[in-house]
Amino acid sequence: MASVRRDRSERLWLRYLILGSWAIVCLAPMLWFLTIGFRPRTEIIVPHPIYWPSWSLDAWRLLVSDWPIASYLRNSVVAVAGSVVIDLVLAIPAAYALSRYEFRGREDIGFYILSTRMMAPAIVAVPIFFLFKNIGLLDTVWALMLVYAAINLSLVTWIIRSYMLDIPKELEDAARTDGAGDLTILREIIIPACLPGIITAAVIAAIFAINEFLFTLLIASTSKAYTMSVALANFTGGSDGIIYNAIALVSFLAFVPILIVVILIQKHLSRGLTMGAVKG
Amino acid sequence: MASIQLNNIVKRFGSFVGVENMSLDIADEEFLVLLGPSGCGKTTTMRMIAGLEHPTGGQIVIGGEVVNEIDARDRDVAMVFQGYALYPNMSIYDNIRFPLRMRKVPADQHDRLIRRAAEMVELGAFLDRKPGALSGGQRQRAALARAVVREPQVFLMDEPLSNLDAKLRASMRVQIKHMQRQLKVTTVYVTHDQIEAMTLADRIVIMNRGIIQQVGTPDEIYSDPANTFVAGFIGSPPMNLLAGEARDGIFRSEGIEVPCPRTVTGSVTLGIRPEDCTVGGGHLQGMVYGVEPTGDITYLTVQTGKRAVEIKAARDFRAPIDTPISIGFDLSRLYFFSENGERIRRPA
Ligand SMILES: Nc1ncnc2c1ncn2[C@@H]1O[C@H](COP(=O)(O)OP(=O)(O)OP(=O)(O)O)[C@@H](O)[C@H]1O
Ligand SMILES: [Mg+2]
């Protein structure tokens, strides 16, 4: 008995060691990256790395004084969050229909939805520009929200559908004999049962949206609608050269909202991603 | 509170016939048990009554109303599913409550009804748990509680006790029967367990390959089987079925010679229940193949030719294997079946 217990605690100790080392390997680049944001510019472009930074708030000052960083961040958050909400509102009923009802061309619709994802975005860039120009939404977060939603809708639908396919049909049969209608079944049975899938899809959509560059650049022409991803590009050109420390800082700030979201829903997400992995 | 009629119900899945031309009249307040081997169409029949499966042909009538085109949610039916079908995100309490909410039972009655149902299945202590945190048998009881929490027109129970241990099963059995008598709700019940079928049923329906073999009271099914399928399905061990030749009022087969009615001739099958055989008597000569004492009774297997015949012998019967033995039949309890398996009945 005693030897068994020691065996287990030894293995536990080993497990922590391995996991801890791996965590350091994963986190080191991020920490390094963060320190870049707090170094003076001169320290970044030296031929040999300086491991211990001489702290400086140069980049931070640059951002705060010359840069409406708060408004960029807000644009990002509003456009991304809004697009995810739109996606979920549209994708959940669509996925339910695709997973449950037999109708002619069901498989074709599935493929059609997915195929929107296969197209090179540049092909639709010009039409989209004129579309938003004509309805007067150019240079607004609303346009970004709609574009992000459109880009991700197919993927979100597809992921949620695959989760819904896994819910046993008997569950719905039971709900129906208990007296529930379609909408009640969707709300009370289906959505809770595939919540991990919905969350996974939402996070993936949010990551894609927050990183979106091409359409954002196209639609946002002033700081009114700039998002973090496009604003970043401002540091790469111009007479000042590439401002690495500012880029690092902004990248980090852009990454923080996603990090917070992921940590909050970590439990569901890890289950969601692995569940998705074994499914087709 | 409703009678059920199935009129020539057919259910096909593609070219596969799940239920074939089934007609059945279930009386109001009746407890009807469907019995049959796996895949014979029991669940399919239930699902059609519940409205979850649309019959390919025929008519389903509940309480005098043709319900073919009525959706499951509008048929006042409660069902225990073979796979439990508990809502995984809800606690057991909320699971049992779901039909009450959906059927608009006044909210102030919910708690009392839920607790009563949970008590009945001895699950009172588990109401806060999610289905995932229950054992298989507990889940099954939760599914049962969800069905019996309200008073529908019809109960449909698809093997509701299959996963319980013998003791619990016996007590649930009594409770289900008591409750059904009390509520007077027409009940269709599926089981593989013959004791369950015999004890619960007003009438039993024996099915095979989607076809009804016999409908009758437990007594009729047991002592008056319509064909070899029913005879060989009911009883444990079931009836011995011995093929042979009948001529001039004598049935002969390898090691067997018994008198039979003169109307029985040609290739026929003799049926005799294990409890209607006695050691000694001279109708069957064979060798002892196995002796299995169980305490209150001893199962004796006798081999004649290539066939094994089961006999229920006295509790203290013992015999070494491979010794010759003579078996007698109760001649008033012989059954004869024609070559196609149908019972040859004595002319009345
Ligand atoms: N949706 C379906 N599609 C095709 N065949 C089906 C379908 N549902 C049932 N069947 C077939 O119909 C037959 C009857 O099935 P059913 O579920 O009614 O059997 P059962 O009597 O309940 O069996 P068990 O005792 O194993 O539960 C089976 O052979 C089954 O394979
Ligand atoms: Mg079944």
Side-chain angles (χ1 to χ4, degrees), chain B residues 42-44 82 158-159 190:
Chain B
K42 304 182 295 289
T43 300
T44 307
Q82 198 170 2
D158 201 347
E159 305 191 28
V190 167

PDB file of all heavy atoms in Angstrom, chain B residues 42-44 82 158-159 190, ligand 2:
ATOM      1  N   LYS B  42     -40.205  -4.398 -31.327  1.00  0.00           N
ATOM      2  CA  LYS B  42     -40.905  -3.907 -30.144  1.00  0.00           C
ATOM      3  C   LYS B  42     -40.762  -2.388 -30.013  1.00  0.00           C
ATOM      4  O   LYS B  42     -41.753  -1.673 -29.863  1.00  0.00           O
ATOM      5  CB  LYS B  42     -40.342  -4.584 -28.880  1.00  0.00           C
ATOM      6  CG  LYS B  42     -40.383  -6.107 -28.922  1.00  0.00           C
ATOM      7  CD  LYS B  42     -39.867  -6.726 -27.647  1.00  0.00           C
ATOM      8  CE  LYS B  42     -38.394  -6.475 -27.384  1.00  0.00           C
ATOM      9  NZ  LYS B  42     -37.463  -7.187 -28.273  1.00  0.00           N
ATOM     10  N   THR B  43     -39.513  -1.928 -30.064  1.00  0.00           N
ATOM     11  CA  THR B  43     -39.288  -0.493 -29.930  1.00  0.00           C
ATOM     12  C   THR B  43     -39.961   0.269 -31.069  1.00  0.00           C
ATOM     13  O   THR B  43     -40.557   1.324 -30.859  1.00  0.00           O
ATOM     14  CB  THR B  43     -37.772  -0.199 -29.903  1.00  0.00           C
ATOM     15  OG1 THR B  43     -37.199  -0.877 -28.793  1.00  0.00           O
ATOM     16  CG2 THR B  43     -37.500   1.275 -29.777  1.00  0.00           C
ATOM     17  N   THR B  44     -39.863  -0.287 -32.265  1.00  0.00           N
ATOM     18  CA  THR B  44     -40.485   0.366 -33.413  1.00  0.00           C
ATOM     19  C   THR B  44     -41.986   0.526 -33.191  1.00  0.00           C
ATOM     20  O   THR B  44     -42.548   1.593 -33.467  1.00  0.00           O
ATOM     21  CB  THR B  44     -40.209  -0.460 -34.686  1.00  0.00           C
ATOM     22  OG1 THR B  44     -38.807  -0.668 -34.790  1.00  0.00           O
ATOM     23  CG2 THR B  44     -40.712   0.251 -35.915  1.00  0.00           C
ATOM     24  N   GLN B  82     -35.537   3.125 -24.118  1.00  0.00           N
ATOM     25  CA  GLN B  82     -34.599   2.028 -23.886  1.00  0.00           C
ATOM     26  C   GLN B  82     -33.218   2.573 -23.509  1.00  0.00           C
ATOM     27  O   GLN B  82     -32.536   2.023 -22.669  1.00  0.00           O
ATOM     28  CB  GLN B  82     -34.512   1.179 -25.153  1.00  0.00           C
ATOM     29  CG  GLN B  82     -33.938  -0.183 -24.931  1.00  0.00           C
ATOM     30  CD  GLN B  82     -34.102  -1.075 -26.158  1.00  0.00           C
ATOM     31  OE1 GLN B  82     -34.607  -0.658 -27.192  1.00  0.00           O
ATOM     32  NE2 GLN B  82     -33.662  -2.300 -26.046  1.00  0.00           N
ATOM     33  N   ASP B 158     -40.140   1.070 -22.452  1.00  0.00           N
ATOM     34  CA  ASP B 158     -39.266   0.209 -23.246  1.00  0.00           C
ATOM     35  C   ASP B 158     -38.165  -0.351 -22.344  1.00  0.00           C
ATOM     36  O   ASP B 158     -37.190   0.326 -22.065  1.00  0.00           O
ATOM     37  CB  ASP B 158     -38.682   1.006 -24.405  1.00  0.00           C
ATOM     38  CG  ASP B 158     -38.204   0.095 -25.527  1.00  0.00           C
ATOM     39  OD1 ASP B 158     -38.102  -1.119 -25.299  1.00  0.00           O
ATOM     40  OD2 ASP B 158     -37.934   0.612 -26.628  1.00  0.00           O
ATOM     41  N   GLU B 159     -38.347  -1.554 -21.883  1.00  0.00           N
ATOM     42  CA  GLU B 159     -37.399  -2.213 -20.984  1.00  0.00           C
ATOM     43  C   GLU B 159     -36.960  -1.299 -19.843  1.00  0.00           C
ATOM     44  O   GLU B 159     -35.778  -1.034 -19.678  1.00  0.00           O
ATOM     45  CB  GLU B 159     -36.181  -2.690 -21.774  1.00  0.00           C
ATOM     46  CG  GLU B 159     -36.601  -3.588 -22.923  1.00  0.00           C
ATOM     47  CD  GLU B 159     -35.419  -4.287 -23.571  1.00  0.00           C
ATOM     48  OE1 GLU B 159     -34.422  -4.506 -22.879  1.00  0.00           O
ATOM     49  OE2 GLU B 159     -35.522  -4.617 -24.761  1.00  0.00           O
ATOM     50  N   VAL B 190     -42.388  -3.099 -22.720  1.00  0.00           N
ATOM     51  CA  VAL B 190     -41.508  -4.025 -23.429  1.00  0.00           C
ATOM     52  C   VAL B 190     -40.535  -4.639 -22.434  1.00  0.00           C
ATOM     53  O   VAL B 190     -39.993  -3.938 -21.582  1.00  0.00           O
ATOM     54  CB  VAL B 190     -40.709  -3.307 -24.532  1.00  0.00           C
ATOM     55  CG1 VAL B 190     -39.588  -4.182 -25.049  1.00  0.00           C
ATOM     56  CG2 VAL B 190     -41.617  -2.905 -25.672  1.00  0.00           C
TER      57      VAL B 190
HETATM   58 MG    MG C   2     -35.913  -2.133 -28.403  1.00  0.00          MG
END
